[in-house]
Amino acid sequence: MSTQSFNDRFLRACRRQPVDRTPVWFMRQAGRSQPEYRQLRERYSLLEICQLPELCAEVTLLPVRQLGVDAAILFADIMLPLGPMGVHFRLQGGLGPVVEAPIRRSPDIERLRPLEPEEDLPFVLEAIRLLRGELKVPLIGFAGAPFTLASYLIEGGPSRTFTQTKAFMYQEPALWHRLLEKLAAAIVQFLKAQAQAGAQALQVFDSWVGCLGPADYRAYVLPHMRRLFSELQDVDIPIIHFGVGTGGLLELMQEAGGDVLGIDWRVRLDQVWQRLDYRTALQGNLDPATLLGPWELVERQALKILAQAGGRPGHIFNLGHGVFPQTSPEHLQRLVELVHERSPEFISGFSSQEEAAP
Ligand code: CP3
């Protein structure tokens, strides 16, 4: 039996409680940057891995063992709940999700079935139960946010400009809201089920919402996000609210909800925190591309982020978006060590400042 005790730094930071070291994990830590994962993918598709709880648990554990991160994220995909809702899609390597029959009209939306996670996605919940027996760090469950899922459903695949999504939103506002309502309801059920199965934190990925201006976010997305978070209020675990390119939306995203906001590298962490009155924990925000450079660059940029966080309770070190496949696992491992070794300086600096305050 392992004598190692449970590492709760990540959960403490989510609640803005003091920690000994800044917790660190990486979005897309389980996946293509790991040779072991690539080997498995020669025999199984991504969706097959998700549907086999033992294998899914194994892939989730890989980065925890190899990198020493302070949290595990369940191996799954934001597209998973759309299958049982009646959407036919595939995950195309190097591209992303491709939807066979994109949503165009009212019947396409009415046809979407409500999600019943215990019947529809039992393998996800089983993987969570298996993992809770193994892990000494918290397990993060997740789902895609309504806007980001709607963008795949309407575009039929990835997009740079989201023109079809926006055209639908502007031309068919009633249908848009109906679609987002249905997606939000499904996501709430899915996240509740993950929490009940044992997930200790949840992340809502609104990866592509940064394509919207603040007025459109307020009109077309905020009401759904507000409802989503309020329906999750009795789920007593921290929730991370994440998006890319959201510099102009952060106050609105804070208003929508979540205990932690995930921010990308286009904003300065110290300025964001001040803007948000330090009322929300922050996760981020190293540019994942930094890891493609020499170690000295990674070190310099990571220390800059720790300095901007200033040792204040409520920072979770992460990248601003997912790990690139070509990232060297050694860099990731060294980055975890760096954050653990160097953050105590900043943390003690912050506490002595607090003591000095009148
Ligand atoms: O380690 C982890 O982060 C957990 C696993 C995870 C995956 N997808 C596995 C996966 C998570 C958290 C996701 C979320 C996800 N999926 C998001 C939100 C996060 C983000 O990146 O903004 C989005 C937008 C998707 C949709 C999706 N699925 C994309 C864009 C891709 C990549 C396509 C490509 O090949 O570049 C996928 C496929 C996918 N999901 C992979 C992995 C590891 C790719 C590798 C493979 O095919 O094995």
Side-chain angles (χ1 to χ4, degrees):
M1 205 180 87
S2 165
T3 51
Q4 193 197 343
S5 63
F6 185 74
N7 165 0
D8 69 347
R9 270 185 204 127
F10 164 78
L11 291 174
R12 292 184 58 83
C14 288
R15 301 190 187 104
R16 286 181 289 147
Q17 294 164 345
V19 286
D20 58 341
R21 294 162 205 279
T22 300
V24 48
W25 69 280
F26 305 118
M27 289 180 278
R28 291 283 170 99
Q29 63 191 16
R32 294 163 300 178
S33 63
Q34 293 180 301
E36 294 84 351
Y37 174 77
R38 288 212 204 103
Q39 265 175 17
L40 266 180
R41 282 283 279 106
E42 285 169 20
R43 291 196 290 147
Y44 303 94
S45 74
L46 191 142
L47 294 177
E48 281 169 344
I49 296 175
C50 296
Q51 287 165 7
L52 296 166
E54 280 85 9
L55 208 52
C56 173
E58 201 47 47
V59 174
T60 303
L61 287 168
L62 272 176
V64 180
R65 295 199 178 115
Q66 290 181 352
L67 305 175
V69 285
D70 298 293
I73 182 156
L74 183 71
F75 189 80
D77 195 87
I78 59 166
M79 297 299 284
L80 273 188
L82 297 179
M85 293 177 77
V87 177
H88 297 278
F89 69 90
R90 60 193 151 81
L91 295 171
Q92 194 169 312
L95 182 70
V98 176
V99 174
E100 258 171 45
I103 281 183
R104 293 282 172 263
R105 302 170 311 119
S106 169
D108 303 333
I109 297 170
E110 291 320 311
R111 245 195 313 271
L112 291 174
R113 286 193 290 272
L115 187 72
E116 294 178 45
E118 280 79 9
E119 282 85 69
D120 293 335
L121 301 163
F123 44 88
V124 174
L125 307 178
E126 182 55 24
I128 292 174
R129 288 183 207 107
L130 284 178
L131 279 160
R132 277 300 302 276
E134 297 271 329
L135 282 165
K136 299 288 187 185
V137 296
L139 177 63
I140 306 170
F142 71 90
F147 176 88
T148 292
L149 292 177
S151 81
Y152 284 116
L153 291 175
I154 296 167
E155 304 281 340
S159 170
R160 289 170 70 90
T161 53
F162 300 94
T163 36
Q164 299 188 78
T165 307
K166 291 183 187 185
F168 188 83
M169 199 170 88
Y170 299 137
Q171 291 169 12
E172 302 283 359
L175 292 186
W176 169 264
H177 287 297
R178 178 85 187 112
L179 174 60
L180 262 69
E181 253 168 41
K182 282 193 119 175
L183 291 171
I187 292 157
V188 166
Q189 293 313 312
F190 189 33
L191 291 173
K192 280 187 175 171
Q194 292 183 57
Q196 198 154 25
Q200 289 145 300
L202 298 169
Q203 178 154 330
V204 180
F205 282 96
D206 212 350
S207 302
W208 312 133
V209 81
C211 72
L212 295 180
D216 282 348
Y217 184 90
R218 188 183 282 287
Y220 297 100
V221 177
L222 182 64
H224 303 283
M225 294 306 282
R226 215 201 281 271
R227 163 110 61 94
L228 185 147
F229 284 109
S230 82
E231 286 181 9
L232 289 169
Q233 229 156 29
D234 49 343
V235 174
D236 204 18
I237 58 177
I239 309 182
I240 306 163
H241 185 180
F242 168 80
V244 182
T246 55
L249 304 177
L250 292 170
E251 287 83 357
L252 292 170
M253 289 175 72
Q254 180 184 43
E255 190 183 321
D259 304 277
V260 184
L261 267 189
I263 58 172
D264 79 4
W265 60 95
R266 295 171 181 89
V267 287
R268 277 183 62 124
L269 189 142
D270 52 353
Q271 290 174 353
V272 167
W273 229 352
Q274 191 178 21
R275 267 168 69 187
L276 299 178
D277 281 333
Y278 306 103
R279 283 183 292 115
T280 304
L282 288 184
Q283 173 171 284
N285 68 338
L286 186 70
D287 184 343
T290 311
L291 286 154
L292 307 179
W295 169 251
E296 292 66 36
L297 179 77
V298 179
E299 177 169 26
R300 193 163 67 239
Q301 299 298 341
L303 289 175
K304 218 181 260 179
I305 290 167
L306 289 178
Q308 288 180 12
R312 180 184 292 275
H315 176 222
I316 297 145
F317 194 99
N318 203 317
L319 308 179
H321 203 181
V323 175
F324 290 128
Q326 57 276 52
T327 306
S328 105
E330 290 73 32
H331 265 22
L332 287 171
Q333 202 182 335
R334 256 180 113 174
L335 179 54
V336 172
E337 283 169 17
L338 179 82
V339 172
H340 285 162
E341 277 167 19
R342 300 296 297 276
S343 56
E345 297 163 31
F346 297 95
I347 291 168
S348 61
F350 183 78
S351 349
S352 53
Q353 232 181 9
E354 291 270 280
E355 277 158 28

